[in-house]
Amino acid sequence: MAEVSLRKIVKAYEGDVQAVKGIDLEIADHEFCVLVGPSGCGKSTTLRMIAGLEEITSGEISIGGTVVNDIPPRDRDIAMVFQNYALYPHMSVYDNMAFGLLLRKFPKAEIDRRVKEAARILDITVLLDRKPKALSGGQRQRVAMGRAIVRDPKVFLFDEPLSNLDAKLRVQMRTEIKKVHQTVKTTTVYVTHDQVEAMTLADRVVVMNHGIIEQVGPPQELYHRPATRFVAGFIGSPAMNFIPARLENGAAALNLVLADGSVLPVPEDRTARYKPHAGRAVLLGLRPEHLTEPREGRGTYADIAIQPEVIEPMGMETLVHFHMGEARDLCARIDPTLSASPGAPLRLTADMAHMHLLDPESGRVV
């Protein structure tokens, strides 16, 4: 078993600076867990503490049921892949992948078997005789992954391994990493600042912010049921819109009254949940895909009049950027065939079935 357990982990530096503030996290055996968040949130520090490359200030880390706080990195049975491929330039791909096993005095036949099996999984068999200088960035990253795979560790640790690749290659390598995990099924902890990587790769996503864990869950749960404004705004691209409003009791239902006077009805199935907050200022959260061109039908749809500031044709869709009162940087997704121009009035439809209501003070989703 290779579950990873973090209990009340703190990492503090001189000057009373806490990079990680008492986090708890359980990562199951065979799970692909992604730590995601902006720069400085503590995700890489957490990974380095799991690896043993960073000393823990307080708390306890266990791998496979064994507490590893005082165990050096080489004895933790983990393999790490960094942004920097760190390949030996004078060695062939085969020798780069075999080197760690040679140092551990593995039999030659076993080394050969492991290297060739890893090369097959990563589709780099034809590259085994090449030197790193003859490889592309994506091929070098595959070799770095192969070097980790041949060790057959308890846990793989990835520290932003795709950040040095161009956009097209990142997409390709995301797919490769997912394929490898489906084949090898080793417990994996992956760090990235890219929420698209997190959503596409993870069994569970851990969203970190300022040294704490904001929310943990499967990608779709975080997308559709965020717990905080930070998670709602960080997961999803473009980000969720947040529009100041006031929740009011209507004649037969609750309504949201926007700054421009627009009145948006709250769906009946949300009434009981939101009624305790009636009469208060709130934030209406709507993702761009739930602000679209006018739709036919009744029920959860409500119209909003806007004045576009920027139009971004994307091919399969058009992004419309606008503001409403104090709410800036709002975005809607509309059909690319719909005519829209900056400054020309445009009517949108909000799908209130997908609305989120947030407390503007605490940032919690209510």
Side-chain angles (χ1 to χ4, degrees), residues 74-119:
R74 67 177 180 275
D75 297 326
R76 294 192 182 193
D77 199 8
I78 54 96
M80 198 161 182
V81 180
F82 299 93
Q83 295 178 38
N84 189 330
Y85 318 124
L87 302 178
Y88 295 107
H90 64 288
M91 291 184 181
S92 68
V93 167
Y94 184 101
D95 291 338
N96 264 284
M97 292 170 64
F99 188 65
L101 300 181
L102 281 169
L103 291 179
R104 290 170 176 77
K105 303 189 185 307
F106 274 71
K108 187 175 180 180
E110 176 64 11
I111 293 173
D112 189 66
R113 185 192 68 78
R114 290 195 183 194
V115 169
K116 288 180 177 176
E117 175 62 12

Side-chain angles (χ1 to χ4, degrees), residues 153-324:
K154 287 182 180 177
V155 182
F156 285 136
L157 304 178
F158 287 86
D159 189 8
E160 303 203 42
L162 309 184
S163 60
N164 289 338
L165 304 180
D166 62 54
K168 184 177 180 180
L169 200 49
R170 280 202 301 271
V171 173
Q172 181 184 340
M173 286 305 300
R174 283 206 310 262
T175 305
E176 295 296 333
I177 290 172
K178 195 154 192 172
K179 282 181 183 176
V180 168
H181 183 257
Q182 290 169 350
T183 302
V184 181
K185 298 188 184 302
T186 302
T187 305
T188 301
V189 187
Y190 187 106
V191 161
T192 180
H193 64 275
D194 186 335
Q195 53 93 17
V196 175
E197 273 183 40
M199 295 285 286
T200 53
L201 286 172
D203 296 323
R204 279 193 311 153
V205 178
V206 179
V207 182
M208 296 187 68
N209 184 32
H210 295 306
I212 65 168
I213 293 175
E214 291 266 349
Q215 190 173 353
V216 182
Q220 291 302 311
E221 179 181 312
L222 268 61
Y223 188 83
H224 294 291
R225 293 185 294 280
T228 67
R229 178 173 181 171
F230 179 82
V231 175
F234 192 82
I235 299 294
S237 182
M240 183 183 287
N241 299 301
F242 299 106
I243 306 171
R246 189 168 186 84
L247 187 63
E248 300 285 3
N249 278 309
L254 291 174
N255 293 316
L256 283 165
V257 182
L258 307 186
D260 66 352
S262 300
V263 178
L264 310 181
V266 174
E268 278 186 37
D269 61 354
R270 307 283 187 102
T271 301
R273 176 178 167 186
Y274 294 154
K275 196 159 184 69
H277 303 276
R280 293 176 51 191
V282 294
L283 286 176
L284 167 63
L286 278 172
R287 295 201 179 276
E289 58 266 37
H290 302 136
L291 270 175
T292 61
E293 66 276 2
R295 303 286 178 91
E296 293 183 3
R298 301 174 60 189
T300 61
Y301 298 123
D303 288 345
I304 298 176
I306 70 158
Q307 197 166 19
E309 294 178 313
V310 176
I311 307 294
E312 285 188 302
M314 306 291 286
M316 63 179 293
E317 64 188 5
T318 295
L319 299 182
V320 177
H321 299 270
F322 63 100
H323 72 271
M324 295 182 68

